[in-house]
Amino acid sequence: QVQLVESGGGLVQAGGSLSLSCVASRSIPSFNVMAWYYQAPGKQRELVASSTNGGRTNYADSVKGRFTISRDNVKSTVYLQMNTLKPEDTGIYYCFVKVLGLPVREYWGQGTRVTVSS
C-alpha cells in the first residue's frame, strides 16, 4: 500500500499563487503516473495535470500556462505550482498515483482545500 499526503492548500486572492506537494509513503515503482485532480463544490472530480515517469505531462485546458506539475522521483513527491489563480480554481485538490503493471494499482490522497477569493 502507498499513502499519499498532500500539503500546501489554503486561501489566496485571485491572481495569487499556491504550491501543492504530495509525498508518497514509500518509493513508487518505475512505471507510473502521478497526477493532480480537483473537485469543485457540487461537481465531479476532474484531472488538472499529470506526469509520467518518462517525463510526459498533460494539463487541463483551463490551467494551461498557469499551472505546472513537477516531480521528484527520488523523494516520491509530486508538486503542483499554481499561478494566476482564479475563483473557479476553488476546490479540493487530490493527489493521484497510478502504478502500471499487472495489476494496475491506483492511490488517492485525502485532498487539500484551495480557496481563491475574488
Side-chain angles (χ1 to χ4, degrees):
Q1 271 290 11
V2 175
Q3 279 75 48
L4 304 175
V5 179
E6 302 104 331
S7 61
L11 173 64
V12 65
Q13 287 189 331
S17 298
L18 281 175
S19 181
L20 306 183
S21 299
C22 171
V23 181
S25 58
R26 62 175 181 83
S27 62
I28 306 297
S30 295
F31 297 100
N32 64 77
V33 178
M34 303 182 83
W36 289 94
Y37 283 74
Y38 99 112
Q39 187 166 19
K43 296 189 177 181
Q44 290 187 328
R45 196 174 298 187
E46 56 187 71
L47 178 69
V48 175
S50 65
S51 172
T52 70
N53 60 288
R56 184 179 301 175
T57 58
N58 182 52
Y59 294 91
D61 288 342
S62 60
V63 306
K64 284 180 181 177
R66 299 189 299 123
F67 291 11
T68 302
I69 188 170
S70 60
R71 55 193 286 166
D72 185 328
N73 293 325
V74 173
K75 296 181 179 179
S76 298
T77 301
V78 61
Y79 306 95
L80 185 68
Q81 178 64 41
M82 304 187 294
N83 299 327
T84 319
L85 282 159
K86 304 176 181 180
E88 52 264 42
D89 296 321
T90 293
I92 300 176
Y93 284 71
Y94 296 91
C95 179
F96 170 79
V97 170
K98 175 185 285 188
V99 178
L100 306 176
L102 292 176
V104 172
R105 290 162 286 172
E106 299 182 347
Y107 306 97
W108 289 93
Q110 81 287 352
T112 185
R113 183 176 298 275
V114 171
T115 303
V116 184
S117 62
S118 57

